Amino acid sequence: MKNLKFYSIAVMALFFAATELTFAQLQLPNPSPGATVSQNVGFTKISIDYSSPGVKGREIFGNLLKHGETWRAGANAPTIIEFSTAVNIGGTNVRPGKYSLFITPQQSGDWTVHLNSKGNAVYAYMKDGKIDEEALLKDNAVSFKVKPVMANDSQERLSYAISAENNKVAKVTMAWDKVRLSFMVDTQVDQKMDGFKGAF
């Protein structure tokens, strides 16, 4: 009888230990889940890796994200955009590789998009509680102005989309709340074709 009691207690202890371990290993859903989007355009693969926060009834641009303050264009970690070949953005040639994407929203007029050549987090440029714009600009591969478009409907989760357009120039669009912000990426198909021809 004693052995049976001991056996029952041991089994229960094992059960509770296993249950506790399972709960410890169980991770709750991330409030800003990770997302990836990619598109082949011409000879170039463009990929964006980001975290997708929700609106959750908040006023996003101008309140949660202050006008004039640079934002990491996502949540949790740097938003990373990657080009498999050289591209041209805003009239500037950008080498293949990974870049962190920052956005500076404005109350009126154009917003600024930054591609950081070091792939740094925006917090790497904090000074006295604010972004050191001078240090940020020093590490930019390219900065350019984009006019935001206001949509009628609010989009709950931040998302990025890449459209192949004419399969030479890609359109990258950020959508969150009622803001749609798009910029073009010239994958330089004609220049690369000319380079191939010159090789023969």
Side-chain angles (χ1 to χ4, degrees):
M1 189 72 174
K2 282 182 182 178
N3 286 344
L4 185 62
K5 259 187 186 177
F6 176 77
Y7 177 74
S8 298
I9 291 168
V11 167
M12 284 183 71
L14 227 102
F15 172 76
F16 284 120
T19 305
E20 193 175 325
L21 187 63
T22 302
F23 278 122
Q25 290 175 340
L26 179 69
Q27 292 183 344
L28 294 174
N30 194 323
S32 299
T36 303
V37 62
S38 66
Q39 176 69 52
N40 291 323
V41 184
F43 301 110
T44 308
K45 182 179 181 181
I46 303 171
S47 303
I48 304 174
D49 190 12
Y50 64 101
S51 292
S52 180
V55 174
K56 300 176 185 175
R58 301 172 294 183
E59 183 186 345
I60 302 300
F61 297 104
N63 188 0
L64 179 66
L65 302 171
K66 308 292 184 198
H67 291 131
E69 292 186 9
T70 303
W71 164 56
R72 58 186 164 179
N76 300 333
T79 295
I80 301 295
I81 187 166
E82 181 175 8
F83 310 106
S84 64
T85 73
V87 297
N88 186 286
I89 306 174
T92 300
N93 289 328
V94 176
R95 292 184 296 181
K98 294 183 178 183
Y99 300 86
S100 50
L101 178 66
F102 302 148
I103 296 173
T104 308
Q106 299 294 345
Q107 187 167 6
S108 61
D110 295 344
W111 293 14
T112 306
V113 177
H114 314 265
L115 265 61
N116 181 277
S117 57
K118 290 189 174 179
N120 278 339
V122 72
Y123 298 118
Y125 300 97
M126 294 297 282
K127 186 178 179 182
D128 301 325
K130 289 191 174 182
I131 300 294
D132 184 345
E133 296 287 343
E134 192 177 321
L136 174 68
L137 289 171
K138 190 178 71 175
D139 290 338
N140 277 353
V142 61
S143 290
F144 51 94
K145 303 285 187 183
V146 178
K147 187 174 182 60
V149 174
M150 301 305 291
N152 291 325
D153 298 327
S154 175
Q155 178 164 312
E156 177 61 27
R157 291 222 166 259
L158 168 73
S159 72
Y160 285 89
I162 306 167
S163 169
E165 299 295 298
N166 61 0
N167 206 26
K168 292 183 178 182
V169 177
K171 183 180 183 182
V172 176
T173 301
M174 182 279 293
W176 195 23
D177 198 359
K178 292 189 174 182
V179 173
R180 309 292 180 264
L181 198 71
S182 299
F183 61 91
M184 310 306 285
V185 178
D186 183 354
T187 63
Q188 301 180 308
V189 170
D190 294 335
Q191 295 91 320
K192 287 163 188 167
M193 287 291 288
D194 289 343
F196 291 148
K197 288 173 190 171
F200 295 101

